[in-house]
Amino acid sequence: QVQLVESGGDSVQTGDSLLLSCIVSGNTYCISGMGWYRQAPGKEREFVGAIPADGMPYYKDSVKGRFTVSRNEPKNMLYLQMNSLKPEDTAVYYCNVDSGSYYFSKGCARNYWGQGTQVTVSS
């Protein structure tokens, strides 16, 4: 199995910055892509940003230029730097590992999730 633990969520004001972290442990050979999702109250979980195994980061349009996803592969860590935060960024943020088709065929789950960390942005 793969375990993901997020940290860094907080209550902040509009325009503030936050850095979310996610540490991955367990069967880390299952890691291919890594990314962040979020879920606001009463809404579906949505994609925020991700880094594929061998590509560049990509983002939800509304966070481009404000959020940056990065990963430290030797330490199996993923980060989400969030700048210029807005009230509409308020949500529980989840770390995700995508095993990819190859590792999925070798017995990994298709996706792994953390328990989430709350980000609240007040106006």
Side-chain angles (χ1 to χ4, degrees), residues 81-101:
Q81 176 66 49
M82 304 187 293
N83 298 327
S84 302
L85 282 161
K86 304 175 180 180
E88 51 263 43
D89 296 318
T90 294
V92 177
Y93 284 71
Y94 295 92
C95 179
N96 168 263
V97 162
D98 174 1
S99 65
S101 56

Side-chain angles (χ1 to χ4, degrees), residues 4-11 18 20-21 35-49 60 67 80 82 85-96 113-121:
L4 294 77
V5 179
E6 303 97 335
S7 61
D10 204 350
S11 294
L18 276 177
L20 304 185
S21 301
W36 292 94
Y37 288 70
R38 67 187 182 187
Q39 187 167 18
K43 294 189 176 181
E44 301 272 325
R45 188 173 298 188
E46 64 177 9
F47 170 78
V48 175
K60 173 182 174 65
F67 290 12
L80 179 65
M82 304 187 293
L85 282 161
K86 304 175 180 180
E88 51 263 43
D89 296 318
T90 294
V92 177
Y93 284 71
Y94 295 92
C95 179
N96 168 263
W113 297 94
Q115 83 290 347
T117 186
Q118 177 71 48
V119 172
T120 302
V121 185

Side-chain angles (χ1 to χ4, degrees), residues 25-37:
S25 59
N27 295 335
T28 55
Y29 63 83
C30 291
I31 299 173
S32 179
M34 298 181 74
W36 292 94
Y37 288 70

Side-chain angles (χ1 to χ4, degrees), residues 43-66:
K43 294 189 176 181
E44 301 272 325
R45 188 173 298 188
E46 64 177 9
F47 170 78
V48 175
I51 301 181
D54 55 356
M56 296 295 289
Y58 57 102
Y59 302 92
K60 173 182 174 65
D61 284 347
S62 64
V63 307
K64 284 180 183 176
R66 300 188 298 121

Side-chain angles (χ1 to χ4, degrees), residues 3-24:
Q3 295 81 42
L4 294 77
V5 179
E6 303 97 335
S7 61
D10 204 350
S11 294
V12 296
Q13 300 290 317
T14 298
D16 284 351
S17 298
L18 276 177
L19 175 66
L20 304 185
S21 301
C22 172
I23 185 164
V24 184

